[in-house]
Amino acid sequence: METNTNTALQTLPNITEIQKIIGDAPATLTANISSKEKAVKAADDLITAHTTTGMTPALDAQMAEYTDKAKKTITAINEKRKPFTQMMDELKKQFTGCETTIKAKVDEVQKLRDDYATKLMKEKQEQDRIAAEKLAREKEVIAVRQAIKTALGTAFYEFITSKKKKVNELFDTLTLEKFEVDSQKFSAPVSMFTPRHLQELRISVSSTILKVEEINALILEVAQDDALYVHYANEYRNIMTVFQKETVDKLPSKKQQLEDLAKADEEEKAKLLEQENKRKEEATAALQKEQDEASKTVEINAATQAAGETTQASMGALFSAAATEAPKVKTGTEIIVKNKVGYSLIFQFWFEHEGKDLDPEKIEKKTIGQMKKFCEDHAVKTGELIDSVLIEYNDVYKAK
């Protein structure tokens, strides 16, 4: 550090020399001012003479002589002031050089901080992206599982409806001749709903994120859930037990109906058959209504459970994101010009948004660099970009 200081001092003018030059400056400046005033007065006299008498050979000669003398005066004045102004320029250069050197080092250090902040910011953005993808996938798994449960529930109640329809079809085909034998079938023990029945229910579920094999694995997982199977096995037994009792309770009236048909004339038979068809239609509609209501309940229950799971997943992602603190930075945008033609687009964009409202003198003073900076700041403020493959925008981060 001492060596650098000594080297810097050696480049400065000698103190004694500085003092002498500064000491001579007032007298030099006074002499130069006196020469200036004499030269100006002489020029004014010549200009006045021209105004009064017009140009003559004698006046032209005087002007030529004046021009030669004035140029020599300028040279003399320049030589007298050079030691002072050169010394001042050198001192100014030394002073500003100190500031410039420090500023360069500050920029160098700041650049290291900015690069580090950019690295941290990009790592945070990548972590956020991965977390967002993970959360989206978790939500999709929850949504697909919900869809599977809803579809299984719908298929289950369709299965029950199909069983009931078969019972109704058998009931409708009872005849008076074989009534006692065939009616015994309705009192047989209710069949069991097995795990295989649950796994064989046909459903269709799609996803924009999960693969087919992943969806199939989830379907198998849900279908093999013991708690779900127990629920549907009990549901099946309860529903079919009640339905069987209702069917058995209708057997006496069915037998009476068959006996009435056997004794009825054609007109009465047609009336009874019309009533029977109406009863069948009502029974079919009732079965469909029961199925729709049961499926709706399944859908609501699955959605409620999925909502809770989704909230839990979102909260987990939120706490995870909060644990990773983003670096403190000021963000901006940097324009990368990929082809020199892109500079014409920068000018056009700048002129449309700012330049057209400026005075011509201000427009002439604008540099392409200033126009580029305007476009970068405009992008940060408004999000409006130059739409061209020749222009690329990059996010930049400056450490606070």
Side-chain angles (χ1 to χ4, degrees):
M1 183 62 71
E2 185 64 31
T3 301
N4 291 340
T5 302
N6 291 335
T7 301
L9 291 175
Q10 289 172 8
T11 64
L12 295 175
N14 184 274
I15 297 298
T16 302
E17 183 182 350
I18 293 175
Q19 291 174 339
K20 181 180 183 306
I21 292 172
I22 292 176
D24 293 342
T28 301
L29 181 59
T30 299
N32 285 354
I33 292 174
S34 177
S35 297
K36 176 202 71 172
E37 290 176 346
K38 290 176 181 179
V40 170
K41 184 178 183 307
D44 288 342
D45 290 344
L46 291 172
I47 294 170
T48 300
H50 175 273
T51 303
T52 304
T53 63
M55 195 63 146
T56 64
L59 183 59
D60 181 59
Q62 291 175 11
M63 287 183 174
E65 183 183 2
Y66 167 79
T67 301
D68 290 339
K69 289 182 178 180
K71 288 180 179 178
K72 292 177 181 178
T73 299
I74 292 173
T75 300
I77 290 174
N78 182 273
E79 290 300 323
K80 290 178 184 178
R81 62 89 178 159
K82 263 186 181 179
F84 180 79
T85 55
Q86 286 178 343
M87 183 269 293
M88 293 303 294
D89 288 343
E90 180 61 27
L91 287 175
K92 179 181 178 182
K93 180 180 178 182
Q94 292 292 339
F95 278 119
T96 57
C98 294
E99 300 164 14
T100 302
T101 301
I102 295 174
K103 177 65 165 57
K105 289 301 178 182
V106 169
D107 291 344
E108 188 176 348
V109 171
Q110 184 65 45
K111 177 67 165 53
L112 295 176
R113 292 191 67 222
D114 294 346
D115 291 345
Y116 180 63
T118 299
K119 174 178 175 293
L120 293 180
M121 200 67 183
K122 291 189 179 300
E123 288 176 354
K124 178 67 167 58
Q125 290 173 342
E126 179 63 13
Q127 290 172 356
D128 290 346
R129 183 192 65 78
I130 293 173
E133 286 185 357
K134 180 183 177 183
L135 178 59
R137 183 176 180 80
E138 288 177 359
K139 287 183 175 180
E140 184 69 4
V141 169
I142 293 170
V144 169
R145 191 179 285 115
Q146 172 191 345
I148 292 170
K149 290 179 179 179
T150 300
L152 278 176
T154 299
F156 170 75
Y157 287 107
E158 288 176 351
F159 176 78
I160 287 181
T161 299
S162 67
K163 290 292 185 181
K164 287 182 176 181
K165 285 182 177 180
K166 288 181 180 179
V167 172
N168 285 344
E169 289 172 1
L170 181 60
F171 184 85
D172 294 336
T173 58
L174 286 172
T175 61
L176 195 57
E177 292 76 16
K178 299 177 62 178
F179 188 85
E180 296 303 329
V181 175
D182 291 343
S183 62
Q184 296 300 315
K185 298 176 183 178
F186 297 101
S187 299
V190 174
S191 61
M192 298 290 292
F193 184 76
T194 67
R196 184 175 179 180
H197 283 132
L198 180 60
Q199 295 173 23
E200 288 180 349
L201 293 177
R202 291 288 169 254
I203 63 173
S204 177
V205 179
S206 62
S207 170
T208 57
I209 296 179
L210 303 184
K211 298 177 181 179
V212 174
E213 52 268 28
E214 292 175 310
I215 296 174
N216 290 338
L218 283 173
I219 292 174
L220 189 60
E221 173 193 321
V222 174
Q224 290 180 338
D225 183 359
D226 291 340
L228 187 68
Y229 163 69
V230 170
H231 167 74
Y232 281 132
N234 291 335
E235 182 82 346
Y236 179 83
R237 183 176 62 255
N238 293 336
I239 290 175
M240 295 307 294
T241 299
V242 171
F243 181 70
Q244 182 187 54
K245 184 177 183 306
E246 292 174 348
T247 304
V248 170
D249 289 346
K250 293 188 294 184
L251 286 173
S253 61
K254 179 63 176 178
K255 183 177 181 182
Q256 183 63 51
Q257 179 192 43
L258 291 173
E259 292 173 346
D260 291 343
L261 277 171
K263 295 185 293 183
D265 56 23
E266 291 300 321
E267 183 178 350
E268 184 65 21
K269 186 179 292 186
K271 184 177 179 181
L272 291 172
L273 289 175
E274 183 180 351
Q275 292 175 349
E276 176 62 10
N277 290 333
K278 184 177 179 181
R279 183 197 63 78
K280 290 180 182 179
E281 292 175 359
E282 290 174 349
T284 300
L287 287 179
Q288 188 62 49
K289 183 179 179 181
E290 288 175 8
Q291 176 185 317
D292 293 342
E293 289 177 350
S295 297
K296 188 65 178 177
T297 300
V298 170
E299 183 179 358
I300 292 173
N301 290 340
T304 301
Q305 182 179 357
E309 293 174 358
T310 301
T311 300
Q312 186 175 359
S314 299
M315 291 300 292
L318 181 63
F319 287 124
S320 176
T324 305
E325 184 177 352
K328 295 179 180 180
V329 297
K330 292 187 292 184
T331 59
T333 294
E334 177 187 22
I335 288 179
I336 305 298
V337 182
K338 305 176 77 172
N339 184 288
K340 60 185 178 181
V341 179
Y343 288 107
S344 67
L345 301 178
I346 288 176
F347 171 78
Q348 292 173 19
F349 189 90
W350 168 82
F351 187 80
E352 290 173 4
H353 293 83
E354 183 184 57
K356 67 179 185 299
D357 298 322
L358 298 180
D359 296 332
E361 312 86 72
K362 291 185 178 180
I363 294 176
E364 291 178 2
K365 293 179 181 178
K366 286 290 182 180
T367 65
I368 287 294
Q370 290 173 324
M371 296 176 188
K372 179 169 170 280
K373 183 66 167 57
F374 169 85
C375 296
E376 291 170 344
D377 293 342
H378 187 79
V380 173
K381 291 177 183 176
T382 68
E384 188 177 3
L385 309 178
I386 300 174
D387 185 13
S388 172
V389 295
L390 305 179
I391 298 292
E392 180 180 321
Y393 287 83
N394 285 340
D395 291 334
V396 294
Y397 305 96
K398 187 174 181 64
K400 290 185 178 180

